[in-house]
Amino acid sequence: MKDSALIIVDMLNDFIDGSMACLNAKEAVNAVSAFIDGKTSAESGDDDENGIFGQFPILFICDHHPADHCSFRENGGPWPVHCKTGTRGSAIHDKLTPYVSEELTFYKGCSPDEEQYSGWEGVNKAGQTVGEVLDLLDTEEVYVCGIATEYCVKATVMDLVRAGKKVTVIGDALGYVDKEGHLKALEEIRAAGIRII
Ligand SMILES: [Zn+2]
């Protein structure tokens, strides 16, 4: 059993310095890097510890849209074009790529007609969901950070709690669309019984 795992939601270039750059996004990337360093150096000096059999599994959630996605303004949705498959904007921030493994990378929003904010709905290349992989890891406790607090982070943590996981949000590793919305989302997250550190 893994004591805990980390879920990083949408730390993708478009949400950091691209078409939907969010507040505190760069700081959030630095904060989660420091968090990972603290966790992994405390537990093992082994380099080969990422991935599903690692001591501290790190799961990545990636917004990943086709060009005709329904969430884009040009297709009648609320958002500018973002995280289009194959673009730099859809890639995980450089600072975090050393921790990426294919089996722990989950894609959401891949169908043109479906908006998916929650990482819980993502699947990896093998078609496994986050829930299935957490079960394989036998991990009940997850740390969550990412972008944006008000949308994809909130949706993800609420689904995790509904699924019975023990969830902790890393407060300084969050990016957001606006400060007020961020604070309101944190209140809702706290009200759902989720710990924020
Ligand atoms: Zn999206």
Side-chain angles (χ1 to χ4, degrees):
M1 176 174 173
K2 308 292 176 194
D3 292 341
S4 59
L6 171 64
I7 299 181
I8 299 178
V9 180
D10 287 353
M11 283 199 166
L12 311 171
N13 292 317
D14 269 342
F15 295 122
I16 297 163
D17 63 8
S19 62
M20 286 180 67
C22 286
L23 299 170
N24 202 55
K26 285 177 191 157
E27 292 83 351
V29 170
N30 291 334
V32 74
S33 298
F35 180 84
I36 293 167
D37 285 348
K39 269 277 179 190
T40 51
S41 64
E43 283 169 20
S44 162
D46 188 354
D47 264 350
D48 188 28
E49 63 184 14
N50 302 318
I52 197 160
F53 299 113
Q55 287 305 304
F56 183 56
I58 300 173
L59 287 67
F60 285 86
I61 308 295
C62 300
D63 213 28
H64 206 73
H65 299 313
D68 57 348
H69 194 253
C70 62
S71 75
F72 298 165
R73 272 183 205 137
E74 61 196 39
N75 303 319
W79 305 115
V81 172
H82 64 280
C83 300
K84 227 158 81 173
T85 306
T87 62
R88 176 190 173 272
S90 72
I92 293 166
H93 191 276
D94 279 349
K95 206 163 186 173
L96 302 174
T97 50
Y99 309 111
V100 176
S101 63
E102 185 178 292
E103 66 266 39
L104 296 183
T105 303
F106 301 83
Y107 300 94
K108 63 182 174 67
C110 309
S111 305
D113 303 331
E114 198 175 7
E115 175 64 302
Q116 292 176 315
Y117 285 152
S118 174
W120 189 248
E121 296 177 52
V123 291
N124 66 11
K125 282 206 170 137
Q128 295 167 305
T129 64
V130 170
E132 284 166 351
V133 170
L134 288 177
D135 284 349
L136 286 173
L137 293 166
D138 198 16
T139 296
E140 293 299 321
E141 181 175 8
V142 287
Y143 291 88
V144 181
C145 66
I147 308 167
T149 319
E150 306 99 301
Y151 298 96
C152 295
V153 172
K154 185 175 90 175
T156 302
V157 297
M158 293 303 189
D159 278 345
L160 284 163
V161 161
R162 249 175 245 129
K165 306 297 175 195
K166 187 178 170 212
V167 183
T168 300
V169 171
I170 308 168
D172 61 352
L174 299 170
Y176 40 87
V177 176
D178 75 71
K179 184 93 192 223
E180 208 177 307
H182 164 74
L183 294 173
K184 186 171 166 282
L186 286 181
E187 266 172 45
E188 291 171 40
I189 288 168
R190 213 174 268 122
I194 297 167
R195 185 167 71 123
I196 302 171
I197 54 169

